[in-house]
Amino acid sequence: MILRVISTEKILFDGAVDRVTLPGSCGPFTVLENHAPLISTLLRGEIVYVAEGKEVKIAVEGGIVEVTDNQIVVCLN
């Protein structure tokens, strides 16, 4: 899967991941390979992803995420 995390100022991450957990407005959720398409708003919290066997956390204030065809695009506030 490819995860792209972008803000108005810069690209925070753009690369392959094994999984990603996001702070959705209806509660946290995890995206794995071949996840069903979705769009969700994000609340304040952490995006947690695993890439190359390492877990990484990004603090966020909110935003929106789109998941389609093993691509996860996160636009932050």
Side-chain angles (χ1 to χ4, degrees), residues 26-75:
C26 292
F29 63 95
T30 299
V31 176
L32 301 171
E33 192 167 352
N34 298 318
H35 195 284
L38 70 82
I39 295 175
S40 177
T41 54
L42 302 176
L43 300 177
R44 179 182 303 182
E46 288 184 329
I47 296 172
V48 181
Y49 64 88
V50 175
E52 298 180 0
K54 296 181 183 178
E55 185 176 274
V56 179
K57 298 178 181 182
I58 300 173
V60 298
E61 293 297 318
I64 189 166
V65 61
E66 179 182 26
V67 177
T68 121
D69 296 327
N70 288 319
Q71 301 223 12
I72 305 144
V73 179
V74 179
C75 298

